[in-house]
Amino acid sequence: MTTTTQSPPLARSTAPGTALSGPGLFTVLLGAALPLIDFFIVNVALPTIDHDLSASEPVLELVVAGYGIAYAVLLVLGGRLGDLIGRRRLFIGGMAAFGLTSLACGLAPTAGTLVVARVAQGAASAAMLPQVLATIQATTAGPRRAKAMSMYGATAGLSMVAGQVLGGVLVSADLFGTGWRSVFLVNVPVVVVALALAVRTVPETRSARPEPVDVPGTVLLALSLGALLAPLTEGRAAGWPLWTWLSLAAFPVLAYAFYAVERRADRAGRTPLVPPSLFQLLSLRRGLVMIVPFSIGFSGFMFVIAVALQQGERLSATSAGLALAPMAAVFFVASLAGPRLVARWGTRVVTAGGLLQAAGIGLIALAAWRTWPDLGVLQLLPGAALAGAGQALQLPILFRIVLSEVPAARAGVGSGVMTTTQQAALALGVATLGSLFLSLAPGLGMRDALVVTLLIQLGAVALTVALSLRLPRSVS
């Protein structure tokens, strides 16, 4: 489908000779994995952080939410800055900042210091991650782009599950007596290796006619996402004070103001932070709508299962993390088959993936109902494996669909919009499903609260299945 926008035409954003090599693809995928791993890696470390730093529940939630909110708010700006000053340059700078802030998290002497370091880590992630998709879009084409996008999707999904598994292993291993600190310190040597690779293997690309930063749009987007995410993540633990309700009431007003400012800039021939004309692309619009319920359910499930297994079943951090290892393993294998399945069956593979995920979640809910308080790896295995396979047949393909029609000159903007949508939905999942579970647990008990939350997630999966029927039948 060809869509005409009102923004000025942009020249190619990639100069000849900047094709992405195999080592270069590995390097940018490593850069994509780190921020997503760190969103989930702290889930199983929270009880140990609480014990070591005497953190209150609202502060512990900020350890998760501070990272997620900063990450979500700044992603689109990170994509625009990459178009402006060079994607390789910002990727390397963001990677270095991610390593330094990870070190600060690992050495944090107090809970408050840890929260500040996590916010800074989220900002560094927002500078780094959009450059990954933008670089892939600008330096690959045809089958190579399809393969690279599939690998990106597989990396993203696997990182989210593996982060929780790795967190449990590291906390229990207590490497050199570092305890929970190792979940952050482990990033430092990885970043050093990634920086050495990036300097050698990642080509520089940028928009040939970059637009200046859209300051009004950036401020309004930050205020809008903050007004929504901050009260939802902190409201329950803080007792829903007045500021949370005022913030939620301000969200639709700020969101409309953001849309009006961006539409005005788009019609005037400028390139706003999030061009409304970009949403004329059918594949982008429908793919983003699906990513929201998928990501809300995914992150909510990961948070809830970690809490249920550690606080309800009294499992160790290692056992709680390894309980999801089958999901990670099956996700990896199934994601490798995704491109071949899409080539034959088109986007109906996404529908099949949703049905498999629904079956998996149903089996997990049944296992929790029947085997509690003996829910462990074996009891979760069938459901986790099916859910992992279903997720692998959805997420990588949705990423391909969203960016399939975005021109290379707008690669940074397109990738920023997609990753912002995903990250905001991940934060919403923890805020909504996580808060629901923690609110239900005192009255219903941990088992029933878990089952109810899983059934609600099942409703979100049903929505994604229905929405998948409206996707374009083929994807480039």
Side-chain angles (χ1 to χ4, degrees):
M1 184 181 79
T2 302
T3 301
T4 302
T5 70
Q6 294 170 303
S7 299
L10 298 176
R12 283 177 57 87
S13 64
T14 306
T18 57
L20 189 63
S21 65
L25 178 60
F26 171 81
T27 303
V28 295
L29 291 180
L30 181 59
L34 287 173
L36 292 169
I37 286 173
D38 268 57
F39 183 87
F40 290 93
I41 202 169
V42 298
N43 282 349
V44 293
L46 290 176
T48 314
I49 295 173
D50 181 18
H51 180 268
D52 190 23
L53 300 182
S54 302
S56 64
E57 187 178 350
V59 172
L60 282 176
E61 290 197 356
L62 275 175
V63 172
V64 178
Y67 176 87
I69 293 173
Y71 188 14
V73 162
L74 297 173
L75 274 167
V76 178
L77 177 61
R80 170 60 64 83
L81 289 174
D83 289 347
L84 181 67
I85 68 176
R87 294 158 189 151
R88 175 181 180 270
R89 180 180 300 176
L90 198 56
F91 177 79
I92 291 174
M95 176 76 76
F98 183 84
L100 291 173
T101 53
S102 296
L103 181 62
C105 289
L107 299 179
T110 66
T113 308
L114 177 59
V115 170
V116 172
R118 282 285 282 175
V119 171
Q121 191 188 33
S125 298
M128 176 172 58
L129 185 62
Q131 317 318 320
V132 175
L133 283 169
T135 298
I136 290 173
Q137 284 287 98
T139 59
T140 61
R144 289 191 71 245
R145 178 182 293 178
K147 182 179 179 181
M149 286 300 302
S150 295
M151 292 180 69
Y152 172 86
T155 299
L158 184 61
S159 298
M160 291 188 283
V161 182
Q164 204 144 307
V165 176
L166 180 62
V169 172
L170 288 174
V171 169
S172 295
D174 193 20
L175 298 173
F176 307 107
T178 55
W180 61 268
R181 298 177 186 277
S182 62
V183 305
F184 301 113
L185 295 176
V186 72
N187 291 331
V188 177
V190 176
V191 164
V192 171
V193 173
L195 285 173
L197 288 171
V199 170
R200 294 171 177 268
T201 65
V202 177
E204 181 65 281
T205 64
R206 70 184 74 194
S207 177
R209 294 173 56 188
E211 295 282 337
V213 173
D214 175 12
V215 176
T218 300
V219 172
L220 284 169
L221 178 62
L223 290 174
S224 300
L225 289 174
L228 175 65
L229 296 176
L232 288 178
T233 52
E234 285 295 298
R236 186 198 62 82
W240 296 105
L242 178 61
W243 73 264
T244 59
W245 299 109
L246 293 176
S247 183
L248 288 172
F251 167 68
V253 178
L254 291 167
Y256 180 78
F258 170 70
Y259 170 73
V261 166
E262 299 298 272
R263 182 180 59 182
R264 190 180 306 117
D266 212 9
R267 289 178 173 176
R270 302 189 299 273
T271 301
L273 187 71
V274 179
S277 57
L278 199 64
F279 291 88
Q280 294 177 17
L281 301 175
L282 181 67
S283 56
L284 180 138
R285 188 171 67 247
R286 292 187 176 177
L288 287 180
V289 168
M290 275 198 68
I291 283 176
V292 172
F294 178 91
S295 298
I296 287 174
F298 191 102
S299 64
F301 168 80
M302 298 295 286
F303 177 81
V304 166
I305 202 70
V307 174
L309 292 178
Q310 287 188 274
Q311 296 185 11
E313 292 281 357
R314 304 297 178 186
L315 295 183
S316 66
T318 298
S319 297
L322 290 178
L324 296 178
M327 179 181 287
V330 175
F331 186 103
F332 177 72
V333 173
S335 64
L336 296 178
R340 293 192 298 274
L341 294 173
V342 171
R344 181 170 182 180
W345 303 105
T347 58
R348 287 299 172 260
V349 173
V350 178
T351 306
L355 294 173
L356 282 175
Q357 185 186 8
I361 293 171
L363 286 177
I364 292 173
L366 182 62
W369 177 262
R370 295 181 60 184
T371 66
W372 194 274
D374 299 312
L375 186 64
V377 177
L378 290 179
Q379 291 77 19
L380 289 171
L381 178 59
L386 270 181
Q391 291 160 353
L393 296 180
Q394 295 176 83
L395 190 62
I397 300 166
L398 286 175
F399 287 160
R400 281 182 59 189
I401 291 170
V402 169
L403 295 178
S404 61
E405 295 178 306
V406 176
R410 285 189 164 183
V413 177
S415 63
V417 169
M418 188 184 77
T419 49
T420 296
T421 302
Q422 182 200 17
Q423 184 60 39
L426 289 174
L428 274 175
V430 175
T432 53
L433 291 179
S435 294
L436 173 67
F437 170 75
L438 293 174
S439 299
L440 292 176
L444 295 181
M446 199 72 75
R447 182 197 71 171
D448 290 356
L450 174 60
V451 171
V452 169
T453 307
L454 288 172
L455 292 177
I456 291 174
Q457 188 197 353
L458 201 57
V461 176
L463 177 60
T464 62
V465 171
L467 290 171
S468 71
L469 299 176
R470 301 186 68 239
L471 291 172
R473 290 301 299 267
S474 61
V475 54
S476 59

